[in-house]
Amino acid sequence: SVAAPPAETFAVFADIEHAAGRIKDIVRIEKLTPGPVGVGTRFKETRVMFKREATETFEFTEYTPGVAYAFVGVNCGMEYR
């Protein structure tokens, strides 16, 4: 449970450009699509996994402001949602 209004919580989690400062293993985020985040927005995320950096490209497939979002990435035959 988070003691904050849903819209504020959503805004923090959907702010991908600042995720590296909030999520420990994310080293950097590069937004690839100009403009506000929404369906079709793409970004590249680099995080430390098993003591090595791994970079994946993701795309938002769903985006309902203040409610929910989903994004997907594909790498080495694996799909990440």
Side-chain angles (χ1 to χ4, degrees), residues 46-60:
T46 301
R47 67 171 56 223
V48 175
M49 293 178 58
F50 308 110
K51 299 182 183 180
R52 296 176 64 179
E53 284 191 5
T55 301
E56 314 292 343
T57 299
F58 293 95
E59 181 174 336
F60 280 85

Side-chain angles (χ1 to χ4, degrees), residues 1-59:
S1 171
V2 176
E8 286 180 30
T9 303
F10 180 89
V12 170
F13 281 94
D15 181 10
I16 59 165
E17 293 176 279
H18 296 100
R22 291 188 310 270
I23 301 172
K24 181 182 123 194
D25 291 332
I26 295 179
V27 176
R28 70 185 151 275
I29 297 270
E30 177 186 0
K31 190 169 169 234
L32 303 172
T33 308
V37 173
V39 173
T41 298
R42 297 178 69 235
F43 65 97
K44 194 179 290 188
E45 175 191 285
T46 301
R47 67 171 56 223
V48 175
M49 293 178 58
F50 308 110
K51 299 182 183 180
R52 296 176 64 179
E53 284 191 5
T55 301
E56 314 292 343
T57 299
F58 293 95
E59 181 174 336

